[in-house]
Amino acid sequence: QKEVEQDPGPLSVPEGAIVSLNCTYSNSAFQYFMWYRQYSRKGPELLMYTYSSGNKEDGRFTAQVDKSSKYISLFIRDSQPSDSATYLCAMSEGTGNQFYFGTGTSLTVIP
Amino acid sequence: EAGVAQSPRYKIIEKRQSVAFWCNPISGHATLYWYQQILGQGPKLLIQFQNNGVVDDSQLPKDRFSAERLKGVDSTLKIQPAKLEDSAVYLCASSSAQGGGNEQFFGPGTRLTVL
């Protein structure tokens, strides 16, 4: 079993839709949860960073962590064509510990 | 603030040849990471440096891969000899906090094709 599982998609939605991206994990020691966006032929770009359980909102993006279910989500409201990218979740046990990445979910927002 | 710089951006070599990649992290970032990202997969950590010391190289195939970070700034990753399965994007990332923190900033990557 992989440390982090992520549905690779692809996911295709119309502009303005709410997008839900999810990851599950098996390691209960994970405390830090990150979402990265990766455009084609570019490096990953940090979107959201959450410690422990709870919600965090930044503009159109909301990250949720449910440690009891070992499940994290990223919601994108009012999706835009510029949101078309691959979204990677990442997790670590603590500061300085290595990140474990999901395989990424490919998202296309259709105008 | 300048981001993480990597070169070259693309490299095509034949199997059994050697190749080297270069990374310049964000100024002042003490922690530097090299990742391998195979098509359709998430990045996998190869090696982590704190200043010029190795923190974690448990997933580095040491029979063919080597990395160094002289003077605690720039870093090079070398593959010798390359195999077909080394075809991937090699990403460099850096972080500012002691022990690496949890905000890693990535460079654009070097796309390696081994024929």
Side-chain angles (χ1 to χ4, degrees), chain A:
Chain A
Q1 185 185 14
K2 289 184 179 178
E3 297 265 13
V4 180
E5 300 277 358
Q6 184 175 8
D7 185 342
L11 187 59
S12 184
V13 301
E15 184 175 353
I18 296 175
V19 176
S20 172
L21 305 167
N22 311 295
C23 289
T24 60
Y25 61 95
S26 56
N27 185 352
S28 57
F30 286 148
Q31 295 191 77
Y32 293 89
F33 304 91
M34 284 66 64
W35 284 97
Y36 282 82
R37 178 174 62 195
Q38 186 172 26
Y39 290 114
S40 180
R41 300 187 180 271
K42 302 285 188 184
E45 167 195 12
L46 181 66
L47 273 179
M48 302 285 285
Y49 155 39
T50 310
Y51 172 71
S52 195
S53 285
N55 293 358
K56 186 172 184 179
E57 187 173 322
D58 184 1
R60 297 184 294 110
F61 298 90
T62 300
Q64 287 186 351
V65 175
D66 182 348
K67 291 188 71 178
S68 61
S69 301
K70 298 189 180 70
Y71 187 87
I72 71 169
S73 300
L74 177 71
F75 297 95
I76 307 174
R77 291 185 299 281
D78 187 24
S79 55
Q80 302 295 308
S82 59
D83 295 328
S84 299
T86 295
Y87 290 80
L88 294 155
C89 63
M91 309 176 187
S92 72
E93 294 183 11
T95 57
N97 295 102
Q98 73 163 298
F99 281 19
Y100 293 87
F101 282 86
T103 54
T105 299
S106 175
L107 171 68
T108 299
V109 180
I110 302 167

Side-chain angles (χ1 to χ4, degrees), chain B:
Chain B
E1 180 183 69
V4 176
Q6 289 187 249
S7 68
R9 291 295 313 277
Y10 304 92
K11 191 75 177 179
I12 300 173
I13 62 172
E14 295 188 350
K15 60 182 179 184
R16 291 188 289 273
Q17 287 186 323
S18 63
V19 64
F21 312 127
W22 173 83
C23 173
N24 181 240
I26 292 172
S27 178
H29 280 195
T31 309
L32 185 148
Y33 312 79
W34 282 103
Y35 287 88
Q36 180 191 59
Q37 187 175 23
I38 292 172
L39 186 64
Q41 298 183 21
K44 183 187 83 170
L45 181 69
L46 292 175
I47 189 166
Q48 176 182 344
F49 291 95
Q50 178 74 18
N51 295 308
N52 60 349
V54 175
V55 173
D56 184 352
D57 64 357
S58 57
Q59 298 185 89
L60 187 73
K62 298 180 187 64
D63 57 334
R64 298 183 301 106
F65 286 65
S66 64
E68 61 181 10
R69 191 184 184 196
L70 300 176
K71 302 180 182 179
V73 181
D74 294 3
S75 177
T76 56
L77 176 70
K78 297 179 182 178
I79 307 175
Q80 183 181 10
K83 292 185 175 181
L84 296 176
E85 58 261 36
D86 297 333
S87 293
V89 176
Y90 291 85
L91 294 162
C92 180
S94 69
S95 179
S96 62
Q98 271 290 343
N102 284 87
E103 293 189 27
Q104 295 183 20
F105 298 89
F106 283 82
T110 296
R111 184 176 298 272
L112 174 68
T113 301
V114 182
L115 303 176

